[in-house]
Amino acid sequence: MDGSALPVNADAAPNNLEPFWMPFTWNRAFKKEPLLLASAKGMYYTTVEGKQVLDGTAGLWCCNAGHRREPIVRAVQETVEHLDFAPTFQLGHPLPFELANRLTSMVPGDFDHVTFCNSGSEAVDSALKIALAYHRVRGDAARTRLIGRERGYHGVGFGGISVGGIVKNRMFFGPLLNGVDHIRSTHDLERNAYSRGQPEHGAEFADELERLCALHDPSTIAAVIVEPVAGSTGVLIPPKGYLQRLRDICDKHGILLIFDEVITGFGRLGSSFATEHFGVQPDLITCAKGLTNGVIPMGAVICRKGIYEAFETWADETGQTIELFHGYTYSGHPVAAAAGLATLGLYQDEQLFQRAADLAPYWEEAVHGLKGARHVIDLRNIGLIAGIELESRPGKVGARGYEAFRKAFEAGVLIRVTADIIALSPPLIIEKPEIDRLFETVRDVLQSLD
């Protein structure tokens, strides 16, 4: 197969689409007018009809090095030929050890251990469990409360939804985990509209954590989790000083700080991780997506020095032979680990993080070139991320955004929408002419909308 079409036994006919209950999708509308992708290469998808589509979203924030990159494909092929699966419960194989070494060496600061899983959602649930267990093994078992943030997205596990703050993700599933509270969102359109990079106003929003400490008593709080840049909710960028203020409050009260870097990790901001970009060090980092360039599902939790040691000390003192009672069948899967190693090698060989940093000023000008475009009420950018907030139609939140998504695809550009916010996050290999085309298409689409 040359990659230009689906296998001969596949069928794109709508009457065969029904059994797949698609995630986060308006299924009835999709199956009436399906958008089906057949192949991808570099910056482009190709549809089943043979039409090229410029990828303005790196797949789903994950294909940072572009699509179908030969070193990653080759690594996956060679690994599966030799080792399709090996357990990592009381056994091992070399690849996840090597990948963990690479990850800890690329994160600035004193991060020294990594545990693997299969997705960002699992990484978040793993980090929350590690935080709870960390306090318990240190003899501080009263710390059971978890603090998230309004409009935060931390995947779809019960832990991630509980600490997350997107209403539609929470409303279907009842009360979720007990003992969870939320600080307010940093979104402040009145003061920060059309900010370039970090907004000037809003560092004081971090003081919401002090209010919750006073309400619940800080000795009951185990961890605070935030996205350094909130992506799936519509690109909310932290105000200057905000993340450092959160760090200071957590230090004051002995609370662990978790950065959910599933989106911001691996070059999206022009640096390895947001912790490097903002100069603020959390205690735990969750990552996924760009870890394997989206080729094989994989997630990870990267732990700051002292976390792992606390479990070792507890095990020694209690005579336990297992330090952490947590893991997944596919933790450190050999094929995923091979994809991760090849991906990190590609990032380094092509200096893609620096490339993103170099392109960021051009990207910023392109983003803010949409100021005054029809329906636009705010523009925000950082690294190679953009948020384009549209005025909603009265009583029909999300309708204008969905229409923009469909029309952009018809025009040969893939964008992502959250309600009426367009989020853009292209592969880091994007060229300036492709940036121009991306934003010209968005402008034309917005002009065509009612």
Side-chain angles (χ1 to χ4, degrees), residues 79-111:
T79 302
V80 79
E81 286 178 351
H82 292 91
L83 185 62
D84 57 347
F85 173 77
T88 52
F89 294 10
Q90 307 291 3
L91 286 170
H93 59 92
L95 294 172
F97 295 96
E98 185 177 352
L99 182 57
N101 275 312
R102 290 288 303 278
L103 282 173
T104 54
S105 67
M106 72 184 292
V107 184
D110 55 354
F111 292 88

Short mmCIF file of all heavy atoms in Angstrom, two decimals, residues 79-111:
data_model
loop_
_atom_site.label_atom_id
_atom_site.label_comp_id
_atom_site.label_asym_id
_atom_site.label_seq_id
_atom_site.Cartn_x
_atom_site.Cartn_y
_atom_site.Cartn_z
N THR A 79 11.24 -2.61 16.06
CA THR A 79 10.99 -3.10 17.42
C THR A 79 9.94 -4.20 17.43
O THR A 79 10.12 -5.24 18.08
CB THR A 79 10.56 -1.94 18.34
OG1 THR A 79 11.59 -0.95 18.33
CG2 THR A 79 10.34 -2.43 19.76
N VAL A 80 8.84 -3.99 16.73
CA VAL A 80 7.77 -4.98 16.75
C VAL A 80 8.21 -6.29 16.11
O VAL A 80 7.69 -7.37 16.42
CB VAL A 80 6.50 -4.41 16.11
CG1 VAL A 80 6.56 -4.44 14.59
CG2 VAL A 80 5.25 -5.15 16.60
N GLU A 81 9.20 -6.23 15.22
CA GLU A 81 9.73 -7.46 14.63
C GLU A 81 10.51 -8.29 15.64
O GLU A 81 10.64 -9.51 15.49
CB GLU A 81 10.64 -7.12 13.44
CG GLU A 81 9.87 -6.68 12.20
CD GLU A 81 10.81 -6.30 11.06
OE1 GLU A 81 12.03 -6.23 11.29
OE2 GLU A 81 10.31 -6.09 9.94
N HIS A 82 11.05 -7.63 16.68
CA HIS A 82 11.89 -8.33 17.65
C HIS A 82 11.20 -8.54 18.99
O HIS A 82 11.41 -9.56 19.65
CB HIS A 82 13.20 -7.55 17.88
CG HIS A 82 14.11 -7.53 16.70
ND1 HIS A 82 14.05 -6.54 15.74
CD2 HIS A 82 15.08 -8.39 16.30
CE1 HIS A 82 14.96 -6.78 14.81
NE2 HIS A 82 15.60 -7.90 15.13
N LEU A 83 10.40 -7.56 19.41
CA LEU A 83 9.77 -7.64 20.73
C LEU A 83 8.41 -6.95 20.64
O LEU A 83 8.33 -5.73 20.68
CB LEU A 83 10.65 -6.96 21.79
CG LEU A 83 10.18 -7.08 23.23
CD1 LEU A 83 10.14 -8.54 23.69
CD2 LEU A 83 11.07 -6.26 24.16
N ASP A 84 7.36 -7.76 20.52
CA ASP A 84 6.03 -7.18 20.38
C ASP A 84 5.48 -6.69 21.72
O ASP A 84 4.80 -5.67 21.80
CB ASP A 84 5.07 -8.18 19.75
CG ASP A 84 4.99 -9.49 20.52
OD1 ASP A 84 5.85 -9.73 21.40
OD2 ASP A 84 4.07 -10.28 20.23
N PHE A 85 5.78 -7.45 22.80
CA PHE A 85 5.33 -7.05 24.13
C PHE A 85 6.22 -7.70 25.17
O PHE A 85 6.67 -8.84 25.00
CB PHE A 85 3.87 -7.47 24.38
CG PHE A 85 3.44 -7.22 25.80
CD1 PHE A 85 3.13 -5.94 26.22
CD2 PHE A 85 3.40 -8.25 26.73
CE1 PHE A 85 2.76 -5.69 27.55
CE2 PHE A 85 3.04 -8.02 28.05
CZ PHE A 85 2.72 -6.73 28.46
N ALA A 86 6.45 -6.99 26.24
CA ALA A 86 7.11 -7.55 27.41
C ALA A 86 6.54 -6.86 28.65
O ALA A 86 6.37 -5.64 28.65
CB ALA A 86 8.62 -7.35 27.35
N PRO A 87 6.23 -7.61 29.70
CA PRO A 87 5.70 -6.98 30.91
C PRO A 87 6.78 -6.21 31.65
O PRO A 87 7.97 -6.50 31.52
CB PRO A 87 5.20 -8.17 31.73
CG PRO A 87 6.04 -9.32 31.27
CD PRO A 87 6.32 -9.08 29.82
N THR A 88 6.34 -5.23 32.42
CA THR A 88 7.27 -4.49 33.28
C THR A 88 6.91 -4.64 34.75
O THR A 88 7.32 -3.82 35.57
CB THR A 88 7.30 -3.00 32.89
OG1 THR A 88 5.97 -2.48 32.86
CG2 THR A 88 7.93 -2.81 31.51
N PHE A 89 6.12 -5.67 35.08
CA PHE A 89 5.87 -6.02 36.47
C PHE A 89 6.89 -7.10 36.85
O PHE A 89 6.79 -8.24 36.42
CB PHE A 89 4.47 -6.59 36.66
CG PHE A 89 3.34 -5.62 36.41
CD1 PHE A 89 3.54 -4.38 35.85
CD2 PHE A 89 2.04 -5.99 36.72
CE1 PHE A 89 2.50 -3.51 35.60
CE2 PHE A 89 0.98 -5.13 36.50
CZ PHE A 89 1.21 -3.89 35.94
N GLN A 90 7.87 -6.76 37.65
CA GLN A 90 8.92 -7.66 38.12
C GLN A 90 9.78 -8.22 36.97
O GLN A 90 10.55 -9.16 37.17
CB GLN A 90 8.33 -8.84 38.92
CG GLN A 90 7.42 -8.43 40.07
CD GLN A 90 8.17 -7.75 41.21
OE1 GLN A 90 9.37 -7.52 41.15
NE2 GLN A 90 7.43 -7.42 42.26
N LEU A 91 9.62 -7.65 35.80
CA LEU A 91 10.46 -7.96 34.64
C LEU A 91 10.78 -6.63 33.96
O LEU A 91 10.33 -5.57 34.39
CB LEU A 91 9.74 -8.89 33.65
CG LEU A 91 9.60 -10.36 34.06
CD1 LEU A 91 8.65 -11.07 33.09
CD2 LEU A 91 10.96 -11.05 34.07
N GLY A 92 11.53 -6.68 32.88
CA GLY A 92 11.82 -5.45 32.17
C GLY A 92 12.42 -5.72 30.82
O GLY A 92 12.69 -6.87 30.44
N HIS A 93 12.60 -4.67 30.07
CA HIS A 93 13.35 -4.70 28.82
C HIS A 93 14.03 -3.34 28.69
O HIS A 93 13.64 -2.37 29.36
CB HIS A 93 12.44 -5.03 27.63
CG HIS A 93 11.31 -4.05 27.44
ND1 HIS A 93 11.41 -2.95 26.62
CD2 HIS A 93 10.07 -4.02 27.98
CE1 HIS A 93 10.27 -2.28 26.65
NE2 HIS A 93 9.44 -2.89 27.47
N PRO A 94 15.04 -3.19 27.88
CA PRO A 94 15.89 -1.99 27.93
C PRO A 94 15.20 -0.68 27.57
O PRO A 94 15.59 0.38 28.08
CB PRO A 94 17.01 -2.30 26.93
CG PRO A 94 17.04 -3.79 26.83
CD PRO A 94 15.63 -4.23 27.00
N LEU A 95 14.20 -0.70 26.69
CA LEU A 95 13.73 0.54 26.08
C LEU A 95 13.13 1.55 27.06
O LEU A 95 13.45 2.75 26.98
CB LEU A 95 12.75 0.22 24.95
CG LEU A 95 13.37 -0.51 23.75
CD1 LEU A 95 12.29 -0.95 22.77
CD2 LEU A 95 14.38 0.39 23.05
N PRO A 96 12.23 1.18 27.97
CA PRO A 96 11.70 2.23 28.86
C PRO A 96 12.74 2.81 29.81
O PRO A 96 12.63 3.98 30.21
CB PRO A 96 10.59 1.49 29.63
CG PRO A 96 10.93 0.05 29.52
CD PRO A 96 11.60 -0.11 28.20
N PHE A 97 13.75 2.04 30.17
CA PHE A 97 14.83 2.57 31.00
C PHE A 97 15.60 3.66 30.25
O PHE A 97 15.91 4.72 30.79
CB PHE A 97 15.78 1.44 31.43
CG PHE A 97 15.13 0.43 32.33
CD1 PHE A 97 14.60 -0.74 31.81
CD2 PHE A 97 15.05 0.65 33.70
CE1 PHE A 97 14.01 -1.68 32.64
CE2 PHE A 97 14.45 -0.28 34.53
CZ PHE A 97 13.93 -1.45 34.00
N GLU A 98 15.86 3.37 28.97
CA GLU A 98 16.57 4.36 28.16
C GLU A 98 15.71 5.60 27.94
O GLU A 98 16.20 6.74 28.02
CB GLU A 98 16.95 3.74 26.81
CG GLU A 98 17.80 4.66 25.93
CD GLU A 98 18.23 4.01 24.64
OE1 GLU A 98 18.01 2.79 24.46
OE2 GLU A 98 18.78 4.73 23.79
N LEU A 99 14.42 5.40 27.69
CA LEU A 99 13.53 6.54 27.48
C LEU A 99 13.40 7.38 28.74
O LEU A 99 13.40 8.62 28.68
CB LEU A 99 12.16 6.04 27.02
CG LEU A 99 11.11 7.12 26.71
CD1 LEU A 99 11.62 8.09 25.64
CD2 LEU A 99 9.80 6.48 26.27
N ALA A 100 13.30 6.73 29.90
CA ALA A 100 13.22 7.48 31.15
C ALA A 100 14.47 8.31 31.39
O ALA A 100 14.40 9.47 31.84
CB ALA A 100 13.00 6.51 32.32
N ASN A 101 15.63 7.75 31.05
CA ASN A 101 16.88 8.51 31.16
C ASN A 101 16.86 9.73 30.27
O ASN A 101 17.29 10.83 30.66
CB ASN A 101 18.07 7.62 30.81
CG ASN A 101 18.55 6.80 31.99
OD1 ASN A 101 18.75 7.33 33.07
ND2 ASN A 101 18.73 5.51 31.79
N ARG A 102 16.38 9.55 29.04
CA ARG A 102 16.33 10.67 28.11
C ARG A 102 15.38 11.76 28.61
O ARG A 102 15.67 12.96 28.49
CB ARG A 102 15.87 10.18 26.73
CG ARG A 102 16.88 9.32 25.99
CD ARG A 102 18.07 10.13 25.49
NE ARG A 102 17.67 11.23 24.64
CZ ARG A 102 17.40 11.12 23.33
NH1 ARG A 102 17.50 9.93 22.74
NH2 ARG A 102 17.05 12.18 22.62
N LEU A 103 14.24 11.35 29.15
CA LEU A 103 13.26 12.33 29.63
C LEU A 103 13.79 13.13 30.81
O LEU A 103 13.67 14.35 30.85
CB LEU A 103 11.96 11.62 30.01
CG LEU A 103 11.05 11.21 28.86
CD1 LEU A 103 9.89 10.37 29.37
CD2 LEU A 103 10.52 12.43 28.12
N THR A 104 14.36 12.44 31.80
CA THR A 104 14.85 13.17 32.98
C THR A 104 16.01 14.09 32.62
O THR A 104 16.18 15.15 33.24
CB THR A 104 15.28 12.20 34.09
OG1 THR A 104 16.23 11.26 33.57
CG2 THR A 104 14.09 11.44 34.64
N SER A 105 16.77 13.74 31.59
CA SER A 105 17.90 14.59 31.20
C SER A 105 17.46 15.82 30.43
O SER A 105 18.18 16.82 30.38
CB SER A 105 18.90 13.79 30.37
OG SER A 105 18.35 13.43 29.11
N MET A 106 16.26 15.78 29.83
CA MET A 106 15.84 16.92 29.01
C MET A 106 14.98 17.91 29.79
O MET A 106 14.74 19.03 29.31
CB MET A 106 15.07 16.44 27.76
CG MET A 106 13.69 15.90 28.02
SD MET A 106 12.90 15.25 26.50
CE MET A 106 12.66 16.74 25.57
N VAL A 107 14.56 17.54 30.99
CA VAL A 107 13.76 18.46 31.80
C VAL A 107 14.68 19.22 32.74
O VAL A 107 15.44 18.61 33.49
CB VAL A 107 12.70 17.70 32.63
CG1 VAL A 107 11.82 18.68 33.39
CG2 VAL A 107 11.85 16.81 31.74
N PRO A 108 14.67 20.53 32.71
CA PRO A 108 15.55 21.28 33.62
C PRO A 108 15.13 21.10 35.08
O PRO A 108 13.95 20.90 35.38
CB PRO A 108 15.35 22.73 33.17
CG PRO A 108 14.00 22.75 32.54
CD PRO A 108 13.83 21.42 31.88
N GLY A 109 16.10 21.12 35.97
CA GLY A 109 15.80 20.95 37.38
C GLY A 109 16.15 19.56 37.85
O GLY A 109 16.87 18.81 37.20
N ASP A 110 15.63 19.19 39.00
CA ASP A 110 16.05 17.95 39.65
C ASP A 110 15.00 16.84 39.53
O ASP A 110 14.60 16.22 40.51
CB ASP A 110 16.39 18.20 41.12
CG ASP A 110 15.24 18.88 41.88
OD1 ASP A 110 14.24 19.25 41.25
OD2 ASP A 110 15.34 19.00 43.12
N PHE A 111 14.55 16.60 38.32
CA PHE A 111 13.63 15.50 38.06
C PHE A 111 14.45 14.23 37.83
O PHE A 111 15.40 14.23 37.04
CB PHE A 111 12.75 15.80 36.85
CG PHE A 111 11.78 16.93 37.09
CD1 PHE A 111 12.15 18.24 36.84
CD2 PHE A 111 10.52 16.67 37.59
CE1 PHE A 111 11.27 19.28 37.07
CE2 PHE A 111 9.62 17.70 37.82
CZ PHE A 111 10.00 19.01 37.57
#
